[in-house]
Amino acid sequence: MLEKHGSDKAIHNYHPIYASILDQPNKITAVLEVGLGTNNTDVFSNMGKGGKPGASLSAFKEFLPNARIYGAATDRRILFQDGMIKTFWVDQTDPSTFELLGRDIGGQLDLIIDDGLHAPNANLTVLLFPLEWLKPGGRLIIEDIMPDSLPVWHLVSSLPPPAFENHRIVSANNAYLFCVRKDA
Amino acid sequence: MRSLKNIIKRTPSLFRIARAIKQTSSTALKNALYSKYNGVISELRIFAPTPSGSVRARFDLTLLSAKQVIPLLGELVKASRPQPSGRVVTVAEFCDELARKG
Ligand SMILES: C[S@@+](CC[C@H](N)C(=O)[O-])C[C@H]1O[C@@H](n2cnc3c(N)ncnc32)[C@H](O)[C@@H]1O
């Protein structure tokens, strides 16, 4: 389904993880993904001219019949709304913009995915916020961590906030993921 | 200066030489910057974003990441422990502690 909608998540072999986290699709009520996949080539981390902004959001919309699907990215030109999908502006290099995003969403999330600007500062900005946004038992997945940045994640693993004891660095195709589960 | 420019413009052979010098120096400058950016990104690769975009943008984002990561880790430590072990105490507090613990 991810491939059908034009997302690269299956290429990285992330799909088994999402299949297992979302194994009860009807029960999921809200998901947020940071990083929409812009096709504007002037934006760093773009998906090329042929990219489909919000590809993974469309897949989640199809897969999760009862969920509100939120997306966020820096490129205002690609923000859109489509039924249960709603997208917002955020800049992962500016932590204060996440407060606005939190207020815009204003609800508890089952899953937060960071597939935006893949740099440690940007990832940490996302990691710092879901404490209050995630439902107990909810998950945060940080995608596309480069091997060179692993020391940051070994350090992060040694200082999880109390509610985030349950975390793993996962090795996938050519990249790592940092997966956290908020205590139930 | 203006008359020199005019002379060059009006003399085709001089014009071609001047243009070649300009092109070569701009390419050399570009190459020097490119290798400087790549050198810095490589030295700071722990902070660098995944390569997808211009080298200049990646260079800027790498520096920004290097600037932000430690303060953000500090925020994470604060969120992790109500009283981080790196808490700063006054001389009096420290002396109290020494007196208590011996
Ligand atoms: C890898 S793509 C996302 C792909 C999409 N999630 C999918 O699976 O179809 C990364 C995207 O992150 C967004 N992005 C880049 N810099 C960002 C920043 N500083 N803050 C938030 N989003 C950013 C851009 O939209 C970029 O195209």
Side-chain angles (χ1 to χ4, degrees), chain A residues 1-152:
Chain A
M1 195 178 285
L2 285 160
E3 245 171 11
K4 181 182 97 182
H5 285 278
S7 167
D8 62 358
K9 289 196 189 326
I11 298 169
H12 293 296
N13 197 30
Y14 297 157
H15 55 295
I17 295 176
Y18 290 112
S20 123
I21 290 176
L22 306 171
D23 63 344
Q24 293 183 289
N26 293 329
K27 288 195 178 160
I28 304 294
T29 60
V31 169
L32 165 69
E33 178 159 27
V34 178
L36 293 178
T38 183
N39 51 4
N40 291 310
T41 50
D42 55 344
V43 177
F44 194 84
S45 206
N46 68 76
M47 304 286 284
K49 274 203 167 66
K52 271 176 69 185
S56 49
L57 300 186
S58 303
F60 286 129
K61 179 183 157 198
E62 190 180 332
F63 188 62
L64 305 169
N66 303 317
R68 281 165 291 129
I69 313 289
Y70 299 112
T74 33
D75 188 358
R76 291 185 194 277
R77 292 166 291 182
I78 55 158
L79 300 183
F80 69 100
Q81 202 167 336
D82 172 16
M84 296 288 261
I85 302 180
K86 212 168 175 184
T87 59
F88 301 97
W89 177 81
V90 83
D91 180 356
Q92 286 182 268
T93 65
D94 179 357
S96 69
T97 63
F98 274 78
E99 284 165 35
L100 287 179
L101 179 63
R103 256 180 273 150
D104 283 339
I105 291 177
Q108 291 261 291
L109 298 157
D110 296 280
L111 173 65
I112 299 175
I113 301 166
D114 175 1
D115 185 19
L117 173 64
H118 300 296
N121 58 329
N123 302 145
L124 288 172
T125 301
V126 179
L127 183 63
L128 274 165
F129 278 84
L131 268 178
E132 38 188 296
W133 294 2
L134 270 184
K135 285 182 190 170
R139 309 261 183 179
L140 164 69
I141 309 282
I142 296 176
E143 295 184 354
D144 291 9
I145 294 171
M146 292 294 102
D148 283 332
S149 299
L150 272 184
V152 172

Side-chain angles (χ1 to χ4, degrees), chain B residues 21-63:
Chain B
I21 291 172
K22 201 173 157 192
Q23 273 168 357
T24 315
S25 56
S26 111
T27 311
L29 185 67
K30 260 191 215 147
N31 287 344
L33 278 175
Y34 190 83
S35 83
K36 180 192 149 196
Y37 294 152
N38 272 325
V40 172
I41 292 167
S42 162
E43 289 294 323
L44 297 178
R45 57 187 167 275
I46 189 169
F47 301 110
T50 319
S52 57
S54 76
V55 171
R56 173 61 207 258
R58 190 163 181 240
F59 166 80
D60 288 340
L61 287 165
T62 301
L63 293 188

